[in-house]
Amino acid sequence: MRVIRVGTRKSQLARIQTDSVVATLKALYPGLQFEIIAMSTTGDKILDTALSKIGEKSLFTKELEHALERNEVDLVVHSLKDLPTVLPPGFTIGAICKRENPHDAVVFHPKFVGKTLETLPEKSVVGTSSLRRAAQLQRKFPHLEFRSIRGNLNTRLRKLDEQQEFSAIILATAGLQRMGWHNRVGQILHPEECMYAVGQGALGVEVRAKDQDILDLVGVLHDPETLLRCIAERAFLRHLEGGCSVPVAVHTAMKDGQLYLTGGVWSLDGSDSIQDTMQATIHVPAQHEDGPEDDPQLVGITARNIPRGPQLAAQNLGISLANLLLSKGAKNILDVARQLNDAH
């Protein structure tokens, strides 16, 4: 029986996400065996520094990519938002699974259960490790103070509950749901309060770009709507040259053959921002048989079983919106944010 080796981070959430992908693959390929190999990444080890300060794009992916490169694993399951928009040569995202709720959620300290960010007392401290969340929320809720909090989900919840430092923390709804912690979600933030990170809520399966066998194996996991939304989001971010160290956020929706993409950039304190929305006519395609063999990747993604036209249209939408924001002065906001972040 052929054994497919699957790489993952060691955290409980990463294991749950990987197990769900492996369960789907097992159901599709009962003749194959799957072995899960867990490892720690740089991002898991450096816990005393804000993510945006470490200055490394592949924080949660590098060690896993080394294992792929050395042929120790055949595929790796990631949170798509951890995967840079430009992957190292030789790798590709071979599948993007159906997205869960992409919005951010607020988890409150037990003594503030029933509150919202708006009704928290003046100068309450809210924990988030994300510049994107802090910039948007500072602008929206000036009476609150935002402070960095690191660690996996379990660690952050423990810090919230057991220490008196934080009144609330902001986490991805999808992660809380996958962990089965629906009861801790005190408030879900809507796009007008806080837009989400590129790819948030979706899982990406990274493989060796030339490993046709494995590409075919995982390609069936592609969810066409999630794929097109994430291509647009990733193209927007790549064209802006955004990353962990600048506040960039998006919101996408697919409705009646239209893909809507809203994107924004913020200064670190949220005082300055540029946002806009564009749309393109894109019909969500059914999967079809393999296209030409020489398909290049789009924003790091290979999806041969999804028609090429809609993928290119989604990519062009992302690039067009980035250009619109750049024409309105986005580069200046991002450059200043980058410099300030590096200086602190």
Side-chain angles (χ1 to χ4, degrees), residues 253-260 279-284:
M254 194 73 102
K255 207 175 163 208
D256 304 329
Q258 296 286 315
L259 174 55
Y260 296 86
Q279 68 195 79
T281 303
I282 298 177
H283 292 281
V284 177

Side-chain angles (χ1 to χ4, degrees), residues 4 16 32 41 67 118 124 141 166 187 290 292 311 317 323:
I4 306 292
I16 287 170
L32 294 178
T41 66
E118 204 151 354
S124 292
F141 305 102
F166 299 102
Q187 179 182 4
D290 287 4
Q311 292 186 60
L317 176 63
N323 281 331

Side-chain angles (χ1 to χ4, degrees), residues 246-298:
V246 287
V248 175
V250 292
H251 170 64
T252 47
M254 194 73 102
K255 207 175 163 208
D256 304 329
Q258 296 286 315
L259 174 55
Y260 296 86
L261 170 64
T262 302
V265 302
W266 286 261
S267 57
L268 289 189
D269 65 359
S271 59
D272 219 355
S273 86
I274 299 175
Q275 296 169 57
D276 220 315
T277 303
M278 289 180 90
Q279 68 195 79
T281 303
I282 298 177
H283 292 281
V284 177
Q287 297 206 5
H288 72 133
E289 287 312 301
D290 287 4
E293 281 302 291
D294 57 348
D295 273 0
Q297 302 180 28
L298 292 186

Side-chain angles (χ1 to χ4, degrees), residues 24-41:
T24 308
L25 288 170
K26 274 182 176 162
L28 288 165
Y29 304 106
L32 294 178
Q33 255 188 315
F34 292 86
E35 180 193 348
I36 294 175
I37 298 166
M39 50 196 99
S40 289
T41 66

